[in-house]
Amino acid sequence: MSERITVDARGMACPGPITKLVRAYRKASPGTLIEVLATDPGFKPDVEAWAKRTGNEIVELAEENGVIRAVIRVTGKK
Amino acid sequence: MERILVLGAGTGGLVAANLLASHGYPVTLIEKRETHLFQPGMLWIAFQGHNPSRYTRPVKELIRPGVELVHGEVVGIDLGERLVHLADGRTFTYTTLIIALGAHLDYDSTPGHRELVERYGDFYSGASAAEKMWSHFKELTSGRLVIAAADPLYKCPPAPHKAAFLAAYTLRRMGRLGSVEVHLALPFLHEYPSEVIARIVAPKLEEAGVRVSTLFTVESIDVGEGKIYSLEGEELDFSLAAVIPAHRGPTVRMEPGEVLDEDGFIKVDKYRLNVEGYDDAYAIGDASNAPTSKTGVTAHLGAEVVVDRIMGYDSRFNGRTNCPIVADGTASFVISSYDHPPVPVKFTRFKRMLEDLFIASYWSSLMYPERWAPIFRAYFNATDPRVISGGW
Ligand SMILES: Cc1cc2nc3c(=O)[nH]c(=O)nc-3n(C[C@H](O)[C@H](O)[C@H](O)COP(=O)(O)OP(=O)(O)OC[C@H]3O[C@@H](n4cnc5c(N)ncnc54)[C@H](O)[C@@H]3O)c2cc1C
């Protein structure tokens, strides 16, 4: 089982959710799963761009009842 | 007897205390420093060589009759008992409390940061740090100046941009922009947290000759080697660097501890600004967790809301921001509120004049907020993000 961190950024507008993700990422060790919950519609393209640029893997990205749920595996850290 | 206690004589605390005094309330203001610093002034000290005396004033010269100034450091706040403890052992009680202690700068979460600031200064840590930065910057004849941040959350979101613009213009005037590179490394996806603003700022930065890296959040600094490493796995060489420290809430012991969020900021009702669960204590400005930018403007507007509420009016804070981005001869503002994202605001000379007027009015607006209120209100209403949503 890999370690899992959950970040609740619901109700936060840009750049709130990405800021919270960056901070969780700072603490995370390689292989950790970071789950982010957000309601800001801009979060979806932003998290995709972030993962691509930083070399981390998006395991799940879904939207349900206005809540975006992204699960990221930390693969960009050595 | 009524006793309103204001903690911190920064922007928010001075506006609140002076405004209350103007309405005849007895106010006690507690501040640990002797001098107040106009923080944006650090940019001009560090990168244009301005004299710090232009941006500092003794706190005792900034208060109105009716405000009792106490020099001391707050170490503890007990909301249940309505007590404030100072480092020297004194204790104060209150009927209403306004916490305006600002943000704490955390150098220790970034390895090498303290050494960097001790060596080169910066434009966040105070007037003397800014003077130190200038003493190195003015000697820089080649290499790279890096302006970066240790965390995406810091006061005045466009401050690093302003620093880069001012540094680039100074270098141009010295004829050194060809040999010294100004490199702005930002912890955001784009050239500004808001993409709308990024689209306006990016071409202006390019025009000024500033190089930009995005998604660069400083993780550690090697001062000896002149290297900055990012959380995202990149590195930058520098000849001179200024890194904005991570921000935390004030370093006082809070009782109960649940009123602090994970970074130590005080949880408030974002409209009424009272501390969560308490109707006799407020937190304004950088010390609070209100979900808006940490700026002098928000601290000032928050102070006005709180004073209104103390007087019995149902005023609400709307999260309005007005962060200036100063470029050469022109300026733009980041204008947003709780219910409106930043609107596209073009760089113009007229806005630069407005910003220069705001700066010139600073000391007076701290002391006589009620005289400036109608002028600021007219400006804020005319530039309400809903009114100018199509752009300004
Ligand atoms: C480089 C730079 C540029 C900026 N540019 C702008 C700008 O253009 N426009 C804008 O609106 N804002 C700008 N800001 C942000 C602005 O300066 C702050 O957001 C504003 O000062 C916040 O006000 P405040 O009252 O919350 O806190 P502060 O003004 O920081 O005041 C806090 C006060 O509390 C005191 N204090 C702290 N701890 C204690 C303690 N334990 N006991 C007693 N006293 C204590 C401090 O000494 C200080 O006087 C800039 C900031 C920087 C650094």
Side-chain angles (χ1 to χ4, degrees), chain B residues 178-191:
Chain B
S179 47
V180 179
E181 174 188 311
V182 179
H183 199 116
L184 180 60
L186 298 163
F188 314 119
L189 272 171
H190 315 284
E191 290 82 354

Side-chain angles (χ1 to χ4, degrees), chain B residues 132-319:
Chain B
K132 191 179 254 184
M133 171 91 330
W134 171 249
S135 71
H136 291 278
F137 176 62
K138 73 172 197 290
E139 303 300 333
L140 197 63
T141 49
S142 65
R144 181 188 277 156
L145 165 70
V146 174
I147 292 163
D151 190 76
L153 185 117
Y154 55 84
K155 55 187 160 189
C156 192
H161 305 73
K162 284 194 273 185
F165 279 124
L166 294 178
Y169 297 131
T170 302
L171 289 169
R172 177 158 297 170
R173 271 170 44 212
M174 290 171 164
R176 294 184 195 158
L177 196 55
S179 47
V180 179
E181 174 188 311
V182 179
H183 199 116
L184 180 60
L186 298 163
F188 314 119
L189 272 171
H190 315 284
E191 290 82 354
Y192 196 81
S194 146
E195 219 178 321
V196 169
I197 304 297
R199 278 198 289 272
I200 292 171
V201 173
K204 206 74 187 169
L205 287 165
E206 201 181 328
E207 191 187 303
V210 175
R211 293 228 14 215
V212 182
S213 295
T214 51
L215 275 187
F216 191 101
T217 315
V218 176
E219 188 176 40
S220 67
I221 304 156
D222 187 331
V223 179
E225 292 291 314
K227 279 186 192 295
I228 301 185
Y229 300 92
S230 82
L231 187 59
E232 293 81 6
E234 274 153 42
E235 59 178 78
L236 268 173
D237 292 329
F238 67 86
S239 319
L240 183 62
V243 174
I244 299 177
H247 286 39
R248 306 276 178 256
T251 52
V252 297
R253 206 176 54 246
M254 278 297 261
E255 199 61 55
E258 301 94 79
V259 301
L260 300 181
D261 76 4
E262 69 218 41
D263 295 315
F265 294 107
I266 300 159
K267 295 186 204 160
V268 294
D269 178 297
K270 69 177 186 175
Y271 300 112
R272 296 173 187 84
L273 303 179
N274 60 296
V275 180
E276 236 177 62
Y278 294 84
D279 55 15
D280 54 0
Y282 298 89
I284 56 174
D286 296 351
S288 92
N289 80 334
T292 181
S293 300
K294 298 196 179 300
T295 74
V297 169
T298 40
H300 186 124
L301 294 174
E304 289 186 340
V305 167
V306 167
V307 171
D308 267 0
R309 299 197 68 84
I310 290 172
M311 292 173 71
Y313 300 107
D314 188 20
S315 286
R316 311 272 170 117
F317 180 52
N318 67 2

Side-chain angles (χ1 to χ4, degrees), chain B residues 7-13 30-33 35-43 72-75 100-103 123-124 155-156 159 162 250-252 284-287 294-299 322-324 355 362:
Chain B
L7 309 183
T11 308
I30 306 180
E31 167 61 50
K32 66 175 179 190
R33 295 201 177 97
T35 46
H36 176 102
L37 167 68
F38 174 60
Q39 296 176 29
M42 289 186 278
L43 292 163
E73 185 183 353
V74 177
V75 289
L101 293 170
F123 58 100
Y124 263 71
K155 55 187 160 189
C156 192
K162 284 194 273 185
T251 52
V252 297
I284 56 174
D286 296 351
K294 298 196 179 300
T295 74
V297 169
T298 40
N322 198 67
C323 312
E355 170 57 8
Y362 184 69

Side-chain angles (χ1 to χ4, degrees), chain B residues 292-365:
Chain B
T292 181
S293 300
K294 298 196 179 300
T295 74
V297 169
T298 40
H300 186 124
L301 294 174
E304 289 186 340
V305 167
V306 167
V307 171
D308 267 0
R309 299 197 68 84
I310 290 172
M311 292 173 71
Y313 300 107
D314 188 20
S315 286
R316 311 272 170 117
F317 180 52
N318 67 2
R320 172 66 194 263
T321 66
N322 198 67
C323 312
I325 317 178
V326 172
D328 196 17
T330 62
S332 168
F333 294 100
V334 182
I335 294 177
S336 66
S337 68
Y338 285 152
D339 28 56
H340 208 292
V343 295
V345 174
K346 285 198 286 283
F347 280 86
T348 65
R349 283 176 204 285
F350 176 72
K351 285 165 201 144
R352 177 57 184 267
M353 182 208 69
L354 282 175
E355 170 57 8
D356 287 337
L357 277 174
F358 290 140
I359 294 174
S361 75
Y362 184 69
W363 303 111
S364 176
S365 72

